[in-house]
Amino acid sequence: MRGEEGRFQYTIKDVKITELNLTSDLRFQPDVGLLFEVQNSSITLNFQRRILYWLFYDEGAINASAEGVNIFTVLHLTKDQEGRLKISNVTCDASIAKMRARFSGTLGRVYDLIGAFLTTGMRFLLNKQICPALNHAALVLVNQLLETIPVRTEVDSYVGIDYSLLSDPVVTETSLDMDFRGMFYNLKNENEVLVNYAMNPIVREYDRMIYLALSEFFFDSGLFSYFKGGLQKQLLLDSFQMPKDLEMLLRTTYLGTIMMLNPALMEHPLSLELEVTSPPRSTIKTSGANVAVSCNVKVLVLPPGKPAVQLSSMTMVRTTANSMQRFKIYSNQSALESLALIPLQGPLKTMLQISVVPLINNYIKRGVQIPLPDGIDFIEEVVEYHNGYIIVGANLHFRTGLREIIERKLSGETDNSI
């Protein structure tokens, strides 16, 4: 900043804010977004002067303070074309009531006489720069942080997940409500998705900073996508893999069938072929959650160098709920054979438990990334079951300072922690 007043000429440069004493408030602005308000606060700053007064030339530092700082900023929140939360506009009004300056150097007393002129110019300069700085912080820096929120990303080689917003966020006096798609999809055919018939979750709790509500559709779309992707669709267990007691029980159960077909088959190994016949389905109630899986099981004899010979075909239905398991098996050929299969229920249930379930759990335990920006984690989580959906409540923890996150984002680094 340069200027002159009569015989007085000045140049001010290297303005640095050394201290902020802000009385601030951040709250929701209904139907708009976030309101950031600073009232009756102060700023301490330092700048370099260069002054010519008559024949006297002097330069040095000036310590100044701005008082009565008031800033009123509203961040307008929307969703962008990709379905990501975005600050679309900033409304800003800032003012500084007064400014004081303390001069050092041999002409300090002289400068005090004309200090009002300098501080008036500096106050005008700061008033002009507060809102542009806040606009840049919101529209550029914070939006770059929001871009790190996963919207549509791969989970593994089979499925991806879509967290895109369905509509603009709804802002009330107490909350920011966002409706996510919350859907898995098959990477081989991203357009083949499950139709959503689940009920819309309702969140009434306010004890935590954030609540993530997941309907049955969230889980069913994952099970559907894995099924369509071919995972666990077919599993072959021969006699060298299955437990010996199960093999013996199968030979005893199907002894008559083997003898009728060809007695020579008695010497050949047996095999079980399991195939998931339909996408598993989840059910969520206040008492907990369960998953129902239906499998078609074929009992085969494997003569060397020849096609497999089918002895029987049966359907197994397994439902898991709160560590309790229900299991039933019935023949696809006759009701009479279903009665004969009753002794097989226990061993087949055990086989399913030790072979198929661990493979499914191996994928489940990996988890999926939640829609949070880099550097922010869930802590103090609590899970509540409702009819048709679950709610995960948590507080937010900044694993990294916001400034550091933004600076790392500007440098091209990312944090992919889950």
Side-chain angles (χ1 to χ4, degrees), residues 5 7 41 65 68 84 90 106 158 181 199 218 235 237 267 275 296 299 314 334 382 392:
E5 179 69 17
R7 300 282 185 176
S41 299
S65 63
R84 184 179 282 109
V90 177
T106 57
Y158 291 91
R181 189 175 303 277
M199 66 180 301
F218 176 81
L235 180 68
L237 296 174
E267 303 299 324
E275 182 178 8
N296 183 56
V299 182
M314 65 191 86
S334 69
V382 60
V392 180

Side-chain angles (χ1 to χ4, degrees), residues 76-95:
H76 300 254
L77 300 177
T78 60
K79 77 175 184 73
D80 63 14
Q81 293 181 348
E82 296 181 356
R84 184 179 282 109
L85 182 66
K86 178 184 179 181
I87 300 174
S88 61
N89 191 25
V90 177
T91 303
C92 178
D93 182 35
S95 64

Side-chain angles (χ1 to χ4, degrees), residues 202-322:
I202 300 174
V203 180
R204 296 188 177 93
E205 294 80 359
Y206 291 95
D207 294 333
R208 295 291 197 277
M209 295 172 64
I210 190 168
Y211 286 92
L212 180 65
L214 304 171
S215 71
E216 292 173 346
F217 172 74
F218 176 81
F219 302 98
D220 287 345
S221 67
L223 297 169
F224 176 85
S225 298
Y226 274 120
F227 175 80
K228 291 297 183 179
L231 180 65
Q232 309 303 333
K233 191 172 183 181
Q234 184 169 305
L235 180 68
L236 190 66
L237 296 174
D238 58 31
S239 59
F240 300 102
Q241 294 175 293
M242 72 176 68
K244 290 296 182 180
D245 56 347
L246 176 58
E247 179 192 359
M248 182 63 66
L249 187 58
L250 287 173
R251 288 188 181 278
T252 303
T253 303
Y254 293 102
L255 176 62
T257 304
I258 295 175
M259 296 302 293
M260 291 178 61
L261 291 173
N262 184 355
L265 295 176
M266 285 294 297
E267 303 299 324
H268 301 310
L270 297 181
S271 173
L272 287 177
E273 184 181 275
L274 280 74
E275 182 178 8
V276 180
T277 55
S278 61
R281 298 300 295 248
S282 67
T283 303
I284 303 174
K285 298 181 179 180
T286 55
S287 57
N290 67 67
V291 176
V293 182
S294 180
C295 298
N296 183 56
V297 183
K298 295 179 181 178
V299 182
L300 307 172
V301 180
L302 303 178
K306 297 181 179 179
V309 178
Q310 179 176 317
L311 301 179
S312 178
S313 175
M314 65 191 86
T315 298
M316 293 193 303
V317 179
R318 181 180 184 272
T319 303
T320 302
N322 292 346

Side-chain angles (χ1 to χ4, degrees), residues 152 360 364:
R152 192 174 176 91
I360 297 176
I364 295 175

Side-chain angles (χ1 to χ4, degrees), residues 28-39:
F28 295 114
Q29 181 82 349
D31 302 324
V32 178
L34 292 174
L35 169 63
F36 177 64
E37 188 173 16
V38 175
Q39 293 182 336

